[in-house]
Amino acid sequence: MPANNPTDDESSPLLPRPSPTLQTQTRPAESAMASSAIFWKVAAISGATAVGFGAFGAHGLKKRIADPARLASWGTAAQYQLIHSVALLMASGNPLAASLFTAGMTMFSGSIYALTLNPEKFKFLGPVTPIGGVCLIAGWLVLAFGKKGGPPKFPRF
């Protein structure tokens, strides 16, 4: 049986605690810049996928779906995603508006894409589409009536 070590009692932490002098605290400005940089990247990726989905809808989807209304829905989803990707770029310094745009694009366009591909399988997503639309509208209203900070400050990478 090993000798009892006073540091091996059950009350000692599993991981060593960092010394207070080594801890760094994130300042609000640094946190806002990190958030802004994340939304900027999300917006850029969303814009790229919107262009890709739009091209797929205009060319590849026509081979799989004959219904013009479903094809038009796909085009609407891609258009709204692209427009709101640009809005998200502009709102990347406003975390509330940026979050609403991100949620709105995901729910609005994402549900339409899924419903266009397989309406029966994804029927449960029908109510998600208008919720996403409300998020998009709310994002615009937050920009209109929220804190007025002048033109957007774009993140530096």
Side-chain angles (χ1 to χ4, degrees), residues 41-133:
K41 288 181 182 185
V42 168
I45 292 167
S46 178
T49 58
V51 172
F53 286 164
F56 175 69
H59 304 289
L61 203 54
K62 288 182 181 180
K63 298 173 187 173
R64 296 181 54 189
I65 298 173
D67 182 3
R70 285 174 60 195
L71 292 172
S73 292
W74 185 277
T76 298
Q79 180 182 18
Y80 271 62
Q81 183 182 350
L82 185 59
I83 289 167
H84 288 90
S85 295
V86 174
L88 180 55
L89 287 174
M90 300 305 290
S92 63
N94 181 326
L96 179 56
S99 295
L100 287 165
F101 284 140
T102 301
M105 286 188 296
T106 302
M107 290 188 285
F108 182 83
S109 295
S111 64
I112 292 175
Y113 292 140
L115 287 163
T116 300
L117 292 174
N118 193 333
E120 290 305 312
K121 181 177 181 181
F122 296 109
K123 184 171 30 174
F124 69 95
L125 289 176
V128 173
T129 307
I131 295 170

Side-chain angles (χ1 to χ4, degrees), residues 10 14-15 17 32-33 40 48 51 55 60 62 65-66 83 93 103-104 108 113 117 119-120 141 145 148 150:
E10 290 183 22
L14 294 174
L15 297 174
R17 294 184 184 149
M33 283 303 292
W40 183 270
V51 172
K62 288 182 181 180
I65 298 173
I83 289 167
F108 182 83
Y113 292 140
L117 292 174
E120 290 305 312
L141 293 174
F145 299 109
K148 311 280 189 291

Side-chain angles (χ1 to χ4, degrees), residues 26-44:
T26 305
R27 293 183 217 154
E30 292 170 356
S31 179
M33 283 303 292
S35 172
S36 180
I38 289 168
F39 283 124
W40 183 270
K41 288 181 182 185
V42 168

